[in-house]
Amino acid sequence: MSVSIDVTGLRPERVAFVPSPLAELGMALHALSEPAHHPGLQGWATGVTARLDPHLADRMCEADFLWRTTFSDLFLPFAGLPGGALPGATLAEELDLLDKLTDEQFVDAALEFTCMAQYDTQIPDILSNPEVRRRALETASSRGPQQVRFTRRLLDDPPAVRAWLRRFLQDCDEAFFAETWSRLSLQLAADARHKTDVLRRRGLAEALAAVSPALTLDKDAGRIVVDKVVEGRAAAGADGLLLVPTSLGRPHLNVLHRYGWQPLLHYPVGSPELSCPPSVEELTLRMTALSHPVRMRLCRHLARSAYTTSDLAQVHGMTAPEISRHLGVLKKAGLVSTRRRGRYVLHQLDVSMVARLGSDFLEGILR
């Protein structure tokens, strides 16, 4: 599974690394709503929540499905504008870009949380098509009454919802985000400059590798492949490709591949102390390896000490070839190490690798 971005004929000058204050505000709202996704931000989230005005906190819950269960493309409005627009230097500039989206674009992006339609295919205009409107309300009802009320407001009066969202974001900026952005913007600008320099000196493949190990450039196919537990496709046409860094976003690597919008990668700024996350294929291999009851019993012994194949065969009442096959699966998944001691070959569980499985799995599905 992966998301691919067709970059055939893409000129290097049409690839841009640019920070976005509005995108970072959206990620801030997500981190406040889902602190379990971001254990490294608990101190920041606790501090913001403690001094948050109760009325603003209530408003934050009014439409939190725009940043909690999904990261709405409304926080990346420049990608929806024709001509390859770039993020604004300030939140005020980006809110002006948000106002430039048509009502149809605004409503379509806002209703992403309903999962009503394929994200990267064209659908009929939701504001003029009664059947699409009916399905939007129907799918919203499965999410809950709050989502139904929001969807009905959005369909009946898009300008009112747009005004509400703008006021809410401005109030968030005044309450906590302006201070946060003044601290983070320098780091994000430095990362963008560094990645731009890598792009110019070493090319797109090296720049993508510097962004995330989950990104690869398939030069033969002319596409960027993003290792995610979803499938999708997009094409970087004349508008180019945007890469937007975030300090608050790890482990999320968001790919905007909405139909008719400029492709965009919203990536977390790396940190040298963080380990390289495994690919979806590696995660699948490890989870599958541990799903067999015999291999689970083998792991119980191998976690305590090193054993030969013959020892394990005797303990488990199985033949040596059967044990070897199960050990082969565990070794292929990187969960068992092997070493030689004289004429004996000893196998042992890599306890640190198994201990990381939970966090690796969570990072993989949240990426």
Side-chain angles (χ1 to χ4, degrees):
M1 291 180 285
S2 62
V3 177
S4 63
I5 302 174
D6 187 343
V7 292
T8 304
L10 178 65
R11 302 193 307 274
E13 62 269 20
R14 298 305 299 161
V15 180
F17 289 87
V18 190
S20 163
L22 181 55
E24 198 69 353
L25 174 52
M27 196 53 70
L29 290 168
H30 170 73
L32 291 172
S33 300
E34 282 287 4
H37 287 192
H38 307 272
L41 297 176
Q42 286 184 355
W44 171 83
T46 300
V48 171
T49 302
R51 64 177 187 270
L52 203 61
D53 176 74
H55 179 60
L56 182 59
D58 289 341
R59 291 164 63 199
M60 194 176 292
C61 296
E62 191 172 338
D64 64 350
F65 36 82
L66 294 180
W67 49 81
R68 184 173 189 165
T69 56
T70 61
F71 183 77
S72 175
D73 292 341
L74 293 177
F75 292 100
L76 306 162
F78 39 86
L81 300 177
L86 295 176
T90 66
L91 181 64
E93 289 179 18
E94 293 211 283
L95 291 177
D96 289 341
L97 294 178
L98 180 60
D99 287 343
K100 292 182 179 180
L101 293 179
T102 66
D103 282 348
E104 290 76 12
Q105 286 178 303
F106 184 90
V107 172
D108 182 41
L111 288 180
E112 181 186 341
F113 73 89
T114 65
C115 303
M116 180 182 63
Q118 289 296 317
Y119 180 78
D120 50 14
T121 58
Q122 187 175 18
I123 62 171
D125 179 10
I126 194 170
L127 293 177
S128 60
N129 189 302
E131 176 58 22
V132 177
R133 176 190 173 97
R134 183 193 64 78
R135 281 191 284 118
L137 288 168
E138 186 177 283
T139 52
S141 66
S142 67
R143 302 292 185 267
Q146 182 180 354
Q147 287 87 332
V148 173
R149 288 193 295 270
F150 177 82
T151 301
R152 187 167 283 114
R153 285 174 53 204
L154 188 62
L155 294 173
D156 290 343
D157 193 356
V161 177
R162 297 178 72 144
W164 173 87
L165 181 61
R166 183 181 179 109
R167 285 195 302 272
F168 169 72
L169 296 175
Q170 288 171 329
D171 290 345
C172 287
D173 184 50
E174 183 179 343
F176 66 88
F177 182 69
E179 177 186 348
T180 299
W181 179 250
S182 68
R183 177 172 51 86
L184 298 181
S185 58
L186 296 178
Q187 178 195 18
L188 295 179
D191 183 85
R193 286 194 301 270
H194 169 67
K195 299 294 194 306
T196 300
D197 185 62
V198 173
L199 175 67
R200 290 172 178 168
R201 293 175 180 269
R202 304 180 192 173
L204 182 58
E206 290 288 333
L208 293 174
V211 168
S212 169
L215 300 178
T216 55
L217 177 63
D218 185 339
K219 293 183 179 179
D220 294 334
R223 62 177 184 170
I224 296 171
V225 179
V226 189
D227 186 49
K228 290 177 71 73
V229 193
V230 294
E231 292 187 0
R233 63 190 185 279
D239 289 344
L241 175 69
L242 284 176
L243 296 100
V244 177
T246 168
S247 287
L248 303 177
R250 184 178 171 90
H252 306 301
L253 174 62
N254 295 313
V255 187
L256 191 160
H257 52 102
R258 179 180 294 280
Y259 181 89
W261 289 45
Q262 181 181 9
L264 183 149
L265 294 165
H266 189 209
Y267 66 92
V269 171
S271 181
E273 69 273 11
L274 296 172
S275 61
C276 176
S279 67
V280 172
E281 182 180 1
E282 290 171 323
L283 279 175
T284 304
L285 199 63
R286 292 171 190 172
M287 303 295 282
T288 302
L290 293 175
S291 67
H292 196 287
V294 170
R295 292 194 284 272
M296 289 183 68
R297 290 198 296 271
L298 288 175
C299 287
R300 184 175 184 274
H301 283 85
L302 296 172
R304 289 166 169 78
S305 182
Y307 286 84
T308 67
T309 301
S310 298
D311 290 337
L312 293 169
Q314 185 175 0
V315 169
H316 291 274
M318 300 172 66
T319 67
E322 288 175 319
I323 293 294
S324 292
R325 283 195 294 271
H326 285 298
L327 287 174
V329 174
L330 292 169
K331 285 191 287 186
K332 185 178 180 181
L335 301 174
V336 166
S337 61
T338 300
R339 71 179 189 274
R340 182 174 289 277
R341 190 181 66 193
R343 64 188 183 89
Y344 297 103
V345 177
L346 299 173
H347 311 285
Q348 191 161 18
L349 189 71
D350 188 335
V351 176
S352 62
M353 181 68 74
V354 176
R356 290 206 307 268
L357 268 178
S359 58
D360 285 346
F361 174 73
L362 184 62
E363 181 156 345
I365 62 174
L366 292 178
R367 184 159 61 217

